[in-house]
């Protein structure tokens, strides 16, 4: 083999070339899956769009399942990178929260096909008890919990369990992401982020109402009512005649958080 041929082989098989080709495959596959769904996005269509042979696809991803899951993993890695880029160099804790929420919502607003990938994963892979979103969330949530703990120690936010803060913030932005996708985005991302941050940071009660009521009074009555039976119009409780066993919780996915 000539020296020129050896150099060409080495150049084509370099780590950078391999990673670049994998990125191209995943980007194009994401477009196809989002357009046609998992069942109809065949490998041949991907090869045709990329103008390569199917063997090129199989060398990197032996099955369509592996290709799809790798594409979803890429979505979450890119989301994490965007959030981290938006909070880089920011030491102020509340600003980190604000920037993280804004980056999360912006990322999925600009790439609705990524939301579609998350939906398809839940629909197609029922055997996966931990979807890719949850796997990434659990890895990245630690830094956010550490931030909440720091803000509590500084007296900046209420002393409540960091898991509670993380779950509430995450559920709000996760729900907003899907609402935007299914119902259409009623407001620009900046306005949505502002509204979320305003309610999370300031709550909905006035200062006078917060000082007037006893801690937990309304919440306690609601919780007691949900256990004993809903109150009727005259204020009396509609208690169930008999309950043999507690009802199981409705099926739902695990709680979600920005966790980027």
């Amino acid at each position: 083999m000539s020296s020129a041929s050896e150099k060409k082989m080495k150049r084509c098989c370099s780590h950078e070339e391999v990673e670049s080709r994998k990125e191209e495959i995943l980007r194009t596959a994401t477009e196809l899956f989002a357009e046609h769904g998992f069942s109809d996005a065949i490998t041949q269509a991907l090869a045709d769009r990329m103008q390569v042979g199917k063997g090129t696809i199989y060398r990197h991803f032996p099955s369509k399942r592996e290709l799809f899951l790798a594409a979803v993993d890429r979505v979450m890695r890119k989301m994490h990178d965007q959030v981290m880029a938006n909070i880089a160099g920011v030491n102020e804790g509340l600003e980190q929260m604000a920037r993280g929420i804004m980056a999360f919502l912006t990322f999925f607003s600009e790439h609705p096909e990524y939301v579609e990938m998350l939906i398809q994963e839940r629909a197609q892979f029922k055997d996966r008890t931990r979807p890719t979103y949850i796997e990434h969330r659990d890895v990245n949530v630690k830094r956010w919990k550490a931030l909440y703990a720091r803000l509590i120690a500084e007296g900046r936010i209420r002393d409540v369990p960091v898991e509670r803060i993380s779950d509430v913030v995450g559920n709000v932005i996760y729900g907003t992401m899907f609402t935007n996708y299914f119902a259409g985005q009623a407001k620009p991302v900046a306005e949505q982020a502002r509204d979320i941050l305003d309610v999370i940071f300031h709550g909905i009660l006035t200062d006078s109402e917060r000082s007037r009521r006893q801690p937990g009074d309304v919440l306690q009555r609601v919780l007691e009512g949900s256990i004993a039976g809903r109150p009727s119009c005259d204020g009396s409780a509609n208690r169930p005649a008999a309950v043999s066993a507690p009802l199981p919780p409705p099926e739902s996915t695990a709680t979600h958080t920005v966790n980027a």
Side-chain angles (χ1 to χ4, degrees), residues 59-78:
R59 276 197 297 273
H60 296 285
F61 305 99
S63 70
K64 188 166 66 173
R65 176 189 175 97
E66 291 183 53
L67 173 62
F68 183 91
L69 293 178
V72 179
D73 186 75
R74 170 181 174 270
V75 167
M76 296 309 301
R77 286 187 284 105
K78 289 180 73 67

Side-chain angles (χ1 to χ4, degrees), residues 167-188:
D167 288 348
V168 169
V169 173
N171 286 338
V172 168
I173 62 174
Y174 189 76
T176 301
M177 172 188 72
F178 280 114
T179 299
N180 285 343
Y181 182 74
F182 286 118
Q185 194 165 317
K187 297 180 180 179

Side-chain angles (χ1 to χ4, degrees), residues 199-219:
V199 173
I200 289 175
F201 285 178
H202 304 116
I204 62 172
L205 300 182
T206 62
D207 291 340
S208 60
E209 177 62 18
R210 281 198 298 270
S211 63
R212 183 187 68 81
R213 74 183 188 88
Q214 295 297 317
D217 57 355
V218 175
L219 294 177

Side-chain angles (χ1 to χ4, degrees), residues 52-96:
V52 299
K54 286 196 293 184
T56 300
I57 310 297
Y58 288 127
R59 276 197 297 273
H60 296 285
F61 305 99
S63 70
K64 188 166 66 173
R65 176 189 175 97
E66 291 183 53
L67 173 62
F68 183 91
L69 293 178
V72 179
D73 186 75
R74 170 181 174 270
V75 167
M76 296 309 301
R77 286 187 284 105
K78 289 180 73 67
M79 186 274 288
H80 171 74
D81 291 345
Q82 179 158 318
V83 170
M84 295 307 294
N86 276 269
I87 66 174
V90 177
N91 294 319
E92 213 293 312
L94 294 179
E95 185 177 349
Q96 283 190 41

